[in-house]
Amino acid sequence: MKDISQELIEQVRQASNDGTKLRIIGGGSKNFMGRQVEGEPLSLAEHSGIVTYEPIELVLTARAGTPLVDINAALAEHNQRLAFEPPLFDGRATLGGTLACHLSGPGRPWNGSIRDHVLGIRLINGRAEELRFGGQVMKNVAGYDVSRMQAGAMGTLGVISEVSLKVMPKPKASITFKQEMAAPQAIETMNLLAGQAKPLTAACWFDNHLYLRVEGARSAVDSTMNQWQGTVLENGNDLWTQLREQQLAYFSDDAPLWRFSVNSNAPHFLPEAEWLIDWGGSQRWLRGDFSVEELEVLAASAGGQVSLYRGGDRLQDVFHTKPTALRQLHQRLKHAFDPQGIFNPGRLYSWM
């Protein structure tokens, strides 16, 4: 069997020597994210497979090109799951791409993001060196936590070749409630309920309805059901799957889609616009043509940032403008890991 990892290293070495730019590709499910990037394709599709899985230890290690559906299937045999609920995108999403794009599902505020579950990685840097960071246990680290630094780096710091992460048992019970209310009331309600000692694991609002999910021990779920108001959805898990996969009708429009990451209790702004509010109020989707400068001001006033998630002009910078100090830090990190600037140039920012 050919050593795919060594082939990747050789491709990176050749590109570094020639000054060739590389466009890292996994399953291609998230090509719409970030800026448009040019370069020779570096595919990780064949660099797949689960390396080790210890159900008792709740730890799994897999190669970066491993489809998430394969990982989910292996975990399901032991009644376990990826608690950060990453989107599968028609089965094309891979483990490495999910980490690089830092994608998590509806339960992110309660169960954590992929960054919170990563234990270690193997990374091929711009010098064609395969480096190992972290391990297979949770522990304190000194200096930069390079494993978690890859979350959201969009492949600009190197080629992720392997990922170790913790997995979790599936909840014993799950119920979804539905209540009719306007967005401002929904934001207030989500924040109020999130502060209670209840097993809330998802909260979103769209089409003038608030949706809440409680999961955990049957006794805790039943107790919450008896105390909270709302209509119980018969197939509640289907709603969260459609939200996770961005298959709700809200996401079907061709208009630009903006993603806000703000304080969960920030007031509802642009009330006449088309919104979907997730993560208990901290992730807010906005659809339509807007000025990026206007939206960045609104996001900052709400204690967060905004990005052009899908559609619109992908030649401009699509992530929130960085202050000068952070911009310089990003550039220094880029140079440290990728001195020739060959990995996904411009995918994250035009200046990287």
Side-chain angles (χ1 to χ4, degrees):
M1 182 177 179
K2 59 182 179 180
D3 189 340
I4 302 298
S5 180
Q6 190 58 43
E7 286 190 5
L8 291 173
I9 293 172
E10 291 302 323
Q11 285 181 268
V12 171
R13 179 177 290 113
Q14 187 65 48
S16 179
N17 291 339
D18 298 343
T20 303
K21 308 302 181 184
L22 295 175
R23 178 167 52 92
I24 305 170
I25 302 173
S29 64
K30 293 172 280 296
N31 288 341
F32 64 89
M33 294 185 65
R35 299 178 68 252
Q36 288 186 12
V37 59
E38 296 182 358
E40 293 295 320
L42 180 68
S43 174
L44 276 77
E46 295 187 31
H47 189 63
S48 65
I50 296 174
V51 179
T52 60
Y53 173 33
E54 301 293 340
I56 296 177
E57 301 296 330
L58 298 174
V59 173
L60 179 142
T61 299
R63 298 181 183 91
T66 308
L68 293 181
V69 290
D70 292 352
I71 294 175
N72 285 346
L75 295 178
E77 293 182 5
H78 297 275
N79 202 34
Q80 295 178 353
R81 66 171 183 168
L82 297 173
F84 53 91
E85 303 178 87
L88 306 180
F89 290 135
D90 297 322
R92 296 181 297 127
T94 62
L95 179 58
T98 299
L99 175 58
C101 294
H102 197 201
L103 292 183
S104 303
R108 188 258 183 267
W110 297 272
N111 298 330
S113 68
I114 184 172
R115 179 178 58 197
D116 301 312
H117 291 76
V118 168
L119 302 174
I121 64 166
R122 288 182 182 271
L123 180 79
I124 303 171
N125 67 9
R127 298 182 179 86
E129 302 166 328
E130 187 171 35
L131 309 176
R132 181 170 184 170
F133 301 97
Q136 295 184 333
V137 296
M138 295 297 293
K139 62 181 181 179
N140 294 328
V141 295
Y144 288 116
D145 188 346
V146 174
S147 300
R148 297 180 181 182
M149 190 185 299
Q150 303 309 311
M154 303 288 288
T156 58
L157 299 181
V159 182
I160 302 169
S161 61
E162 189 175 285
V163 180
S164 296
L165 70 168
K166 60 180 179 179
V167 300
M168 300 298 290
K170 289 184 177 180
K172 297 293 185 181
S174 177
I175 291 180
T176 296
F177 298 83
K178 174 182 178 181
Q179 301 179 39
E180 185 174 358
M181 64 179 65
Q185 183 185 357
I187 293 171
E188 181 180 352
T189 301
M190 286 189 285
N191 280 271
L192 176 65
L193 298 181
Q196 297 183 11
K198 301 295 183 183
L200 179 66
T201 62
C204 76
W205 174 93
F206 63 93
D207 288 343
N208 284 317
H209 284 87
L210 171 65
Y211 298 88
L212 305 169
R213 182 181 68 187
V214 291
E215 294 181 316
R218 170 58 65 181
S219 58
V221 170
D222 288 345
S223 174
T224 304
M225 180 177 65
N226 293 331
Q227 296 178 45
W228 286 3
Q229 297 179 349
T231 302
V232 175
L233 297 187
E234 192 168 325
N235 298 306
N237 287 335
D238 292 345
L239 167 73
W240 304 108
T241 297
Q242 291 174 338
L243 176 60
R244 180 194 75 203
E245 300 297 329
Q246 297 167 15
Q247 294 175 343
L248 294 171
Y250 177 87
F251 295 102
S252 64
D253 196 283
D254 291 332
L257 182 63
W258 306 83
R259 176 184 178 269
F260 285 81
S261 178
V262 297
N263 292 335
S264 62
N265 61 352
H268 185 50
F269 45 89
L270 296 179
E272 301 303 319
E274 296 182 82
W275 289 96
L276 187 151
I277 303 175
D278 195 12
W279 292 3
S282 59
Q283 178 172 253
R284 306 186 187 184
W285 299 98
L286 172 66
R287 201 171 57 198
D289 292 301
F290 294 91
S291 160
V292 63
E293 291 81 10
E294 173 193 6
L295 296 186
E296 287 195 357
V297 171
L298 289 172
S301 67
Q305 301 184 354
V306 64
S307 62
L308 179 56
Y309 179 80
R310 187 194 294 268
D313 183 3
R314 312 309 294 186
L315 296 177
Q316 67 172 352
D317 280 332
V318 297
F319 293 103
H320 199 102
T321 303
K322 292 292 184 189
T324 302
L326 274 179
R327 175 170 170 166
Q328 292 174 347
L329 177 60
H330 275 263
Q331 290 172 325
R332 288 168 59 187
L333 285 172
K334 171 71 171 175
H335 181 74
F337 284 95
D338 182 20
Q340 301 299 321
I342 62 174
F343 296 130
N344 283 2
R347 178 83 185 266
L348 191 60
Y349 290 101
S350 58
W351 38 266
M352 274 188 65

